[in-house]
Amino acid sequence: AFGSQTIDITVKAPSEETLTAVTAAIATAVTETKSADSVTTSLDDTQSYISISIKRKEAARYALSEVLIGRTLTGLIAPTAIGQVVIDDVTMDLIVETKNSPDTLGELRKFKLTTPLGGTVLLSKVATIGITETAASRTTERGVLSASVAVTPTSDNLSESTAAVNAALASVTLPSGTTATVGGVSQDQVESFQQLGLALLAAILIVYVVMVATFRSLRQPLLLLVSIPFAATGAIALQIISGIPLGISSLIGLLMLVGIVVTNAIVLIDLVNQYRERGGSVIESLLDGTSRRVRPVLMTALATVFALTPLATGVTGSGGFISQPLAIVVIGGLLSSTILTLLVLPALYSLVEGRKERKATRRALKA
């Protein structure tokens, strides 16, 4: 399971207006794809605030500046300490409060400012006052404003949902300096695929090293590793037939198959080598070894397949989203690798080892 259950889109923009517009456009585009149960943004939660925009020309007529008006309003609405006083060894803040400070928007508009010229002027005459809505919270990344769009997919097929989100993202024209990147559960899956891919390569390498030490040959272990592509063929084919999307559980199943399918090949080739050490030819050893190993190899594979059938059919309940893809991959890989191991591997062994035997026979005849 991933830490996040949503596909997240991170939007970065140089201004708040651009950020709001692009985030809304992306959310609308994703919603129209009908591939999401819900689409939410970090800008959905809003809060209201009083907006005061100074009319610079009008304020200049009364010798007022934005700084002076701002300082006056700050002391009016949120008075701060102008000093401290000590009474009976107790230090107290000294705060000057304005009598009859405005409590409503109408009273604020009627508030009279004292000008440097000694007169008064209504605040509404030198400023535009209103209530504006903005995002309840803002985030920045390295000084750039950012917002996020969270998409909850309708389907369990994360690859399909991610493709739909990317298509919706591509349909939105981004202004200059604005970026949008996909993350969340989609990014988690990509990273998990990369890690399991490396683990799969490491497992194949370890298996090869062990077989080289066992068979004391560099060539025969390569023949045995052919069973891995055989297993991958069946695993992918059965997954496509079943309609189960490729996921982390599927890759874990492939990782398990590396050890399972190679075991059958080792059992077969090891017996063939024993017959050859006793003086048998390659063809005779293959025929005898295959005929003796076909039954135990089939029984082992079928036993594993039958044991995993309940998981593959999804009768395990709520845990099926993890166990079902894994079981399907292992069953498909076992079926294909078992059949191909018993048919193709002996042919490859005969081709490689038989060539060595024929060369040795020709040398003996020439001698």
Side-chain angles (χ1 to χ4, degrees):
F2 299 116
S4 170
Q5 297 302 319
T6 59
I7 300 174
D8 298 331
I9 304 172
T10 302
V11 184
K12 297 180 181 179
S15 66
E16 185 175 347
E17 293 77 11
T18 303
L19 182 68
T20 302
V22 172
T23 301
I26 292 175
T28 301
V30 174
T31 302
E32 291 175 352
T33 64
K34 298 180 180 179
S35 62
D37 275 336
S38 65
V39 179
T40 59
T41 75
S42 60
L43 304 180
D44 288 343
D45 295 331
T46 60
Q47 64 180 7
S48 299
Y49 70 96
I50 298 175
S51 172
I52 301 176
S53 178
I54 306 300
K55 301 175 185 178
R56 294 183 178 179
K57 289 184 179 179
E58 291 292 331
R61 292 178 183 178
Y62 298 94
L64 293 172
S65 65
E66 292 182 351
V67 175
L68 182 58
I69 295 174
R71 189 179 301 162
T72 301
L73 294 178
T74 299
L76 176 69
I77 299 172
T80 58
I82 60 172
Q84 292 181 329
V85 62
V86 179
I87 300 177
D88 296 332
D89 296 329
V90 177
T91 302
M92 300 180 182
D93 292 329
L94 188 60
I95 299 175
V96 178
E97 293 186 354
T98 304
K99 186 178 181 180
N100 299 324
S101 60
D103 295 325
T104 65
L105 197 62
E107 292 179 357
L108 183 62
R109 289 193 178 101
K110 295 178 181 179
F111 179 75
K112 293 183 179 181
L113 293 170
T114 301
T115 69
L117 303 177
T120 60
V121 62
L122 292 176
L123 179 61
S124 59
K125 195 168 183 179
V126 295
T128 301
I129 306 169
I131 296 179
T132 305
E133 287 192 350
T134 187
S137 62
R138 296 180 180 85
T139 57
T140 59
E141 293 185 19
R142 297 181 179 179
V144 180
L145 288 172
S146 66
S148 62
V149 180
V151 182
T152 303
T154 56
S155 171
D156 292 334
N157 192 336
L158 185 58
S159 299
E160 182 180 323
S161 300
T162 302
V165 170
N166 285 327
L169 195 58
S171 67
V172 178
T173 302
L174 300 179
S176 177
T178 304
T179 61
T181 55
V182 178
V185 67
S186 175
Q187 183 64 29
D188 292 341
Q189 186 186 54
V190 171
E191 293 176 356
S192 297
F193 277 5
Q194 293 174 347
Q195 293 172 1
L196 285 174
L198 293 175
L200 189 62
L201 293 176
I204 294 173
L205 179 61
I206 292 172
V207 168
Y208 177 75
V209 171
V210 171
M211 288 192 297
V212 167
T214 302
F215 289 100
R216 297 179 182 178
S217 169
L218 295 175
R219 187 180 306 174
Q220 287 190 5
L222 289 176
L223 292 176
L224 298 178
L225 290 180
V226 173
S227 57
I228 295 177
F230 293 165
T233 302
I236 295 173
L238 188 58
Q239 188 141 28
I240 292 175
I241 294 172
S242 64
I244 302 296
L246 179 66
I248 301 301
S249 300
S250 304
L251 289 185
I252 295 175
L254 286 175
L255 194 59
M256 293 172 57
L257 279 174
V258 172
I260 296 174
V261 300
V262 169
T263 301
N264 292 335
I266 291 175
V267 168
L268 173 61
I269 298 303
D270 183 61
L271 184 61
V272 171
N273 287 339
Q274 290 180 25
Y275 283 136
R276 288 187 62 194
E277 290 174 358
R278 298 173 186 173
S281 65
V282 171
I283 300 299
E284 291 174 348
S285 299
L286 280 172
L287 291 174
D288 291 340
T290 305
S291 61
R292 287 181 176 272
R293 283 290 182 255
V294 63
R295 185 176 179 181
V297 168
L298 286 175
M299 289 178 64
T300 302
L302 290 176
T304 306
V305 168
F306 288 141
L308 292 174
T309 299
L311 296 179
T313 54
V315 299
T316 54
S318 59
F321 74 97
I322 294 177
S323 59
Q324 190 176 20
L326 187 148
I328 287 175
V329 166
V330 174
I331 289 175
L334 270 178
L335 291 176
S336 63
S337 67
T338 299
I339 296 172
L340 293 174
T341 296
L342 294 174
L343 297 177
V344 179
L345 184 58
L348 292 175
Y349 186 92
S350 175
L351 189 65
V352 174
E353 297 296 330
R355 183 180 178 184
K356 292 171 57 180
E357 186 178 73
R358 288 189 293 272
K359 284 184 178 180
T361 303
R362 283 196 294 268
R363 289 195 194 97
L365 291 175
K366 288 180 181 180

